[in-house]
């Protein structure tokens, strides 16, 4: 199998991830707890160490709180519902948001009157229009902004720094969806102006399923969302007050944490970036040679990494995916990719969405050549 | 290490669980999806097969919906917040509830006026008082009942069938917390009168962390709680309608599912029950011989399985735990065990909670002898 569905989940992981998960499964898969027996304390230490490695990766202060959740989706739900937005709050979302944001804010709007606005984009270039964003913010001042860092559909790198900086002029709370960027793009919390950074362990960090979370850069208190046991303060019907365990109800998945820990030890962000930007350029160049393929590309070629979407003239994208799978054993993802807003600009509904290629640090020139050769046969 | 903290998580797991997790991690850890490439379809099949095995275990109809969540806590949050209880609803909880229920219903009561009542217990025997329950129900008719099957503090088997049957006279919605019972006690959904059965994968089922869920026995529609991508119907800002994927936002942790699948293949409920009931009796008999130990036991000895709590005269429970850990390498859990209500009846606050022994199918007579010998030295 040639695996090009890395935007869904990176596969494979570094060998160390598999080894460490199996080891911890066998020797340390107990309920972490500071005050308990030795292995429970060791499990706690592994959690602390993993958070420290994440802080280092994003150049966060060592006192910055990081909350582990079973997935970035749950982390995003905690943020959206925990923010306690006031009635009539104005919430901006980028048109590139994933349903973890889009559906969750929609869900919030069922119980509370808020105004949801899309960040304006240039319909030609598909880029966020910063000028119009500035204008919109001055007219309808943002209380919160949700913006993804890298589009899970097109691989476009959004200008989050500019958008968030502009939002901060109105004291907006800025939430970054880093599911497709953490570990791939350089990230420095001091420059990003994000108050929350939500992340998935199993994508660009090369960890396993079962672990994600958020970095609470500004230390903003959220209200409780998921409640349950915390192994502390058990007689209190409210969750504990501290800025991490308050949002970490239930046993932490220590095996997944171990996988993420091993992944972080191996992660070399700048090397991965270099490899993927090069492959992305190569992919674009090769696909340009095939007639009938329309790609969704940003104007600047370095504003695009790791993910690429295209449609094939006169074919449904799921058909293309099926042929790639059945005839060539190439795994891609087709459809709308859980991103509900962007397709009105991509105008891809006639093809039932796009064919999406997701690269990883383990993708090769040969993988791309195989894809291109398959697509050329499709054309004939 | 002698591991007696199996009520927190069973450890070790059957060897097949480790092997299968490692295998699926290496060969099938992709994003499950019916319409995609072969491995994604194989991942989907594994999920379906695991749910079928669970249905079989509880003698559910093969069309009964089972929802996977990353933990029983999240499953319980989905149920509590999804039930759409009306204003002024009367909700009964047993005094043995875990914080996954207790804190979550408390959380619900912050946003909606509901009346939370405890099922009455006999303060002498610590048993649920069915007569008084009947009376209370006739006075304050239950709209919903939350009852744990086996206490995670004392191992007491609650009379859930009677309580739920009584509740059904008033059309209550019955929710069973089976975290400590599924796989250990025989379970037949037709006899239980539970509408929802919430379960953890990593306890009495011998699966890994990262997978739990609920069985929706009666097919009751819940409102959305956690929202996000479902890999289907992406352009719709509401979650899909069907009774499983509606509650399964975000990528399913296929590696955890694989572990649970392997665990279910190995699980022999009646054998485990027999082994644990025997060990529980043996443990009780041996602990009776030690002066200064007070155990919390039900009157009928078969109403108690796998878990046992005690206090040691004139000692704090955390001290006992520390000595067992440091001097004898015996792992137990001490404190309040995330169960906020029951301690007023156990009257264990002077000892800062109890010392809890949790057994598993892999616990042995020798483990218990080692514990007893350590506790005897403590006495001296």
């Amino acid at each position: 199998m040639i695996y090009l569905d890395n935007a869904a989940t990176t596969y494979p992981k570094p060998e160390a991830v598999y080894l460490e998960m199996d080891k911890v499964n066998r020797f340390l898969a107990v309920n972490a707890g500071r005050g308990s027996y030795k292995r429970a304390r060791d499990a706690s230490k592994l959690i602390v160490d993993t958070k420290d490695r994440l802080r280092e990766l994003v150049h966060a202060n060592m006192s910055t709180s990081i909350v582990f959740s079973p997935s970035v989706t749950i982390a995003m739900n905690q943020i959206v519902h925990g923010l306690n937005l006031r009635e009539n709050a104005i919430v901006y979302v980028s048109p590139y948001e994933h349903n973890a944001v889009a559906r969750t804010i929609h869900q919030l709007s069922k119980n509370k009157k808020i105004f949801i606005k899309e960040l304006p984009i240039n319909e030609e270039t598909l880029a966020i229009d910063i000028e119009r964003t500035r204008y919109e913010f001055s007219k309808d001042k943002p209380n919160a902004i949700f913006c993804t860092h890298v589009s899970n559909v097109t691989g476009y790198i959004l200008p989050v720094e500019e958008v968030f900086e502009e939002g901060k002029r109105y004291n907006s709370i800025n939430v970054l969806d880093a599911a497709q960027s953490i570990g791939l793009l350089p990230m420095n919390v001091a420059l990003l102006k994000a108050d929350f950074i939500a992340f998935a362990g199993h994508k660009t960090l090369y960890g396993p399923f079962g672990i994600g979370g958020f970095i609470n850069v500004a230390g903003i208190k959220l209200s409780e969302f998921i409640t349950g046991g915390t192994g502390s303060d058990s007689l209190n019907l409210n969750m504990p007050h501290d800025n991490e365990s308050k949002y970490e109800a239930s046993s932490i998945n220590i095996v997944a944490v171990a996988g993420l820990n091993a992944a972080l030890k191996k992660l070399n962000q700048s090397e991965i970036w270099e490899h993927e930007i090069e492959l992305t350029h190569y992919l674009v160049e090769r696909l340009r040679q095939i007639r009938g393929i329309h790609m969704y590309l940003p104007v600047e070629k370095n504003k695009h990494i790791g993910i690429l979407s295209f449609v094939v003239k006169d074919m449904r994208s799921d058909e293309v995916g099926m042929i790639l799978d059945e005839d060539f054993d190439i795994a891609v993802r087709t459809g709308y990719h859980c991103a509900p807003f962007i397709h009105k600009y991509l105008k891809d509904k006639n093809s039932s969405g796009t064919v999406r290629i997701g690269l990883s640090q383990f993708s090769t020139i040969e993988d791309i050549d195989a894809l291109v050769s398959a697509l050329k046969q499709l054309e004939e």
Side-chain angles (χ1 to χ4, degrees), chain A:
Chain A
M1 176 185 59
I2 292 173
Y3 183 78
L4 295 171
D5 191 21
N6 289 287
T9 192
T10 47
Y11 173 79
K13 314 293 182 189
E15 176 66 19
V17 173
Y18 302 136
L19 294 176
E20 194 61 21
M21 285 177 75
D22 188 52
K23 193 176 111 191
V24 166
N25 223 351
R26 288 167 183 278
F27 301 108
L28 203 65
V30 300
N31 213 308
R34 280 187 189 79
S36 308
Y37 43 91
K38 184 170 180 314
R39 286 201 213 186
R41 289 192 297 275
D42 288 346
S44 280
K45 278 182 210 155
L46 184 62
I47 294 167
V48 170
D49 181 69
T50 309
K51 288 183 176 179
D52 282 344
R53 287 176 189 278
L54 277 167
R55 288 184 188 98
E56 218 172 289
L57 179 68
V58 300
H59 301 92
N61 197 299
M62 280 298 141
S63 65
T64 303
S65 90
I66 295 188
V67 168
F68 277 153
S69 313
S71 66
V72 63
T73 298
I74 289 172
M76 203 50 100
N77 273 257
Q78 166 66 72
I79 296 169
V80 168
H81 294 291
L83 276 181
N84 269 320
L85 291 169
R86 62 166 178 74
E87 289 283 319
N88 298 316
I90 298 173
V91 179
Y92 283 85
V93 295
S94 93
Y96 285 98
E97 292 315 292
H98 185 276
N99 268 325
V101 171
R103 282 182 174 166
T104 306
I105 291 175
H106 176 71
Q107 172 77 356
L108 180 71
S109 74
K110 291 180 190 171
N111 302 315
K112 183 180 267 183
K113 192 178 167 197
I114 55 170
F115 295 95
I116 304 169
K117 298 197 63 176
E118 261 182 44
L119 292 177
I121 69 171
N122 180 320
E123 297 200 20
E124 286 292 299
T125 64
L126 302 175
I128 298 291
D129 186 329
I130 289 288
E131 279 314 306
R132 275 171 58 210
T133 297
R134 206 162 278 152
Y135 173 72
E136 292 294 328
F137 283 7
S138 72
K139 214 162 44 100
D140 296 320
K141 297 176 181 43
N143 296 104
I145 304 170
F146 289 80
C147 195
T148 191
H149 205 172
V150 171
S151 162
N152 78 312
V153 180
T154 66
Y156 167 49
I157 303 172
L158 281 77
V160 290
E161 294 88 344
E162 287 104 305
V163 170
F164 286 164
E165 184 148 25
E166 199 55 31
K168 275 298 169 202
R169 296 178 53 177
Y170 307 96
N171 290 316
S172 77
I173 295 175
N174 296 333
V175 182
L176 180 72
D177 179 351
Q180 301 287 355
S181 68
I182 191 168
L184 173 59
L185 296 187
M187 213 178 273
N188 184 325
V189 292
L191 306 176
L192 263 177
K193 316 281 183 202
D195 297 297
F196 293 95
I197 300 172
F199 61 90
H202 71 97
K203 296 183 189 249
T204 43
L205 287 174
Y206 295 89
F209 287 117
I211 188 78
F214 62 89
I215 307 169
N216 189 345
V217 181
I220 295 171
K221 279 273 172 216
L222 297 172
S223 60
E224 298 168 355
F225 176 61
I226 290 167
T227 52
T230 47
S232 66
D233 203 11
S234 293
L235 303 181
N236 185 349
L237 286 177
N238 294 302
M239 294 288 281
H241 278 294
D242 80 276
N243 236 344
E244 295 189 356
S245 56
K246 182 175 182 185
Y247 315 111
E248 290 179 339
S250 105
S251 316
I252 283 191
N253 183 341
I254 191 68
V255 178
V257 169
L260 180 57
N261 192 284
L264 287 167
K265 279 182 187 158
K266 287 280 168 199
L267 192 86
N268 185 326
Q269 179 268 320
S270 58
E271 246 178 40
I272 298 174
W273 181 87
E274 221 163 293
H275 176 70
E276 283 199 29
I277 201 90
E278 201 172 292
L279 271 192
T280 305
H281 293 166
Y282 182 76
L283 175 62
V284 170
E285 286 319 308
R286 293 298 315 270
L287 289 181
R288 271 196 217 285
Q289 298 157 9
I290 307 177
R291 260 176 310 147
I293 281 191
H294 175 73
M295 291 183 276
Y296 299 101
L297 300 175
V299 174
E300 291 172 62
K301 71 182 198 171
N302 277 353
K303 290 287 173 211
H304 172 222
I305 191 164
I307 299 169
L308 184 145
S309 256
F310 64 84
V311 291
V312 178
K313 195 158 180 281
D314 300 328
M315 282 188 83
R316 290 168 50 100
S317 291
D318 52 334
E319 270 181 274
V320 178
M322 203 181 70
I323 296 170
L324 289 175
D325 170 44
E326 289 183 0
D327 297 352
F328 301 96
D329 203 16
I330 297 175
V332 300
R333 198 54 66 152
T334 63
Y336 297 110
H337 318 295
C338 301
F341 304 130
I342 196 61
H343 302 280
K344 59 179 176 277
Y345 304 109
L346 302 186
K347 302 187 181 72
D348 58 356
K349 286 182 196 165
N350 280 342
S351 359
S352 302
T354 73
V355 180
R356 181 182 71 180
I357 309 302
L359 304 172
S360 96
Q361 62 171 306
F362 301 115
S363 300
T364 62
I365 293 281
E366 290 71 33
D367 292 342
I368 292 175
D369 289 343
L371 172 76
V372 169
S373 145
L375 288 170
K376 279 188 173 163
Q377 288 180 56
L378 207 81
E379 203 195 3
E380 280 152 20

